[in-house]
Amino acid sequence: MKLDIKICGLSTADAVDRAVERGATHIGFIFFEKSPRNIAPEIAGELADRVRSRAKIVAVTVDANDEDLDDIVSLLHPDILQLHGHETPERILHIKALYGLPVMKVFSVREATDLHRVDPFIGVADRFLFDAKAPKGSDLPGGNGVSFDWNLMASLDEGVNYMLSGGLNKDNVADAIASTRATGIDVSSGVESAPGLKDVGMIDAFFDAVADAKANKR
Ligand SMILES: O=C(O)c1ccccc1N[C@@H]1O[C@H](COP(=O)(O)O)[C@@H](O)[C@H]1O
């Protein structure tokens, strides 16, 4: 089974190196000022240069304007743009025309009807990411370490290619893989010892748990 693994919200060389050594197919950098994982595009670009040929570089933005996207794209040179805000299909077409990069559009899920919001984006976004809805009062649209009911994903059209995120960690990732058709998994706070602080031991434990889950699924 081919499963993409994205480690998101990276900000140190140690964590970038360990994530990719352990098999991360994607690494993500957060460009959102309110996030404890927010990073300057210049620094993210330097970190990405360490691993560029070995993992896809993902820029995570939230309703970013063209000026901010210009900075991020020119300094990070991402492979993929993850749009984690309220971007419309029209906005995504504009962004794709500007940069020629694949877009992964994020939807937050609490109930089955949330999955229907994907329909107008099919054929527009290149891939989808389903995350949990942010808890009331949170400043962050993602990176909250909360999960949703993965059984809801069974009602999604089988042709939709998606990654799964939201509160994944070493203890629940096997269940997430077993109970969905996700072609990728994405973790941020589940490999942190404190908000924004990635922990290489927790990254190791996460990859160990994924390896066990894949072995048991064969
Ligand atoms: O991590 C953040 O701070 C963040 C900020 C703004 C948008 C997205 C963010 N993170 C994304 O959230 C999901 C899930 O994170 P977690 O594993 O539940 O902590 C992941 O896709 C991150 O890219």
Side-chain angles (χ1 to χ4, degrees):
M1 178 189 61
K2 164 90 174 84
L3 182 75
D4 288 336
I5 305 175
K6 173 167 166 270
I7 307 292
C8 204
L10 291 160
S11 58
T12 63
D14 279 1
V16 166
D17 291 351
R18 185 65 71 97
V20 175
E21 273 161 30
R22 289 303 311 261
T25 56
H26 296 62
I27 58 166
F29 297 100
I30 305 284
F31 301 100
F32 185 61
E33 276 183 15
K34 291 179 183 165
S35 171
R37 305 166 189 101
N38 186 41
I39 188 166
E42 295 87 339
I43 310 284
E46 285 166 17
L47 291 173
D49 284 346
R50 305 174 70 83
V51 296
R52 216 171 263 292
S53 56
R54 293 186 284 152
K56 293 215 183 298
I57 310 302
V58 183
V60 181
T61 61
V62 182
D63 298 317
N65 59 32
D66 287 357
E67 197 185 336
D68 288 344
L69 286 173
D70 283 349
D71 274 357
I72 292 163
V73 170
S74 63
L75 293 164
L76 174 63
H77 303 292
D79 298 298
I80 298 169
L81 298 173
Q82 176 177 325
L83 304 183
H84 217 112
H86 299 94
E87 300 85 3
T88 62
E90 294 71 28
R91 175 72 183 145
I92 293 177
L93 288 171
H94 174 78
I95 290 171
K96 288 184 66 149
L98 273 183
Y99 305 111
L101 289 170
V103 161
M104 180 155 71
K105 176 70 187 116
V106 183
F107 292 92
S108 55
V109 182
R110 185 177 295 133
E111 51 200 47
T113 51
D114 294 323
L115 297 171
H116 302 324
R117 290 176 35 237
V118 85
D119 294 349
F121 295 81
I122 291 173
V124 175
D126 298 274
R127 197 173 189 180
F128 297 97
L129 171 64
F130 293 99
D131 190 4
K133 277 212 193 295
K136 257 206 171 98
S138 172
D139 282 339
L140 305 177
N144 291 298
V146 294
S147 303
F148 64 98
D149 177 3
W150 302 315
N151 295 317
L152 295 175
M153 297 309 295
S155 62
L156 189 70
D157 187 299
E158 284 198 9
V160 178
N161 179 5
Y162 70 91
M163 278 200 179
L164 185 72
S165 74
L168 296 179
N169 58 48
K170 70 173 175 48
D171 297 321
N172 64 13
V173 68
D175 194 14
I177 293 169
S179 52
T180 68
R181 286 182 296 97
T183 54
I185 48 172
D186 180 2
V187 60
S188 182
S189 50
V191 292
E192 290 179 348
S193 53
L197 283 183
K198 291 290 183 286
D199 181 305
V200 291
M202 292 172 79
I203 292 174
D204 278 344
F206 187 79
F207 279 96
D208 290 345
V210 173
D212 285 351
K214 286 166 92 171
N216 290 332
K217 206 168 177 178
R218 259 182 225 133

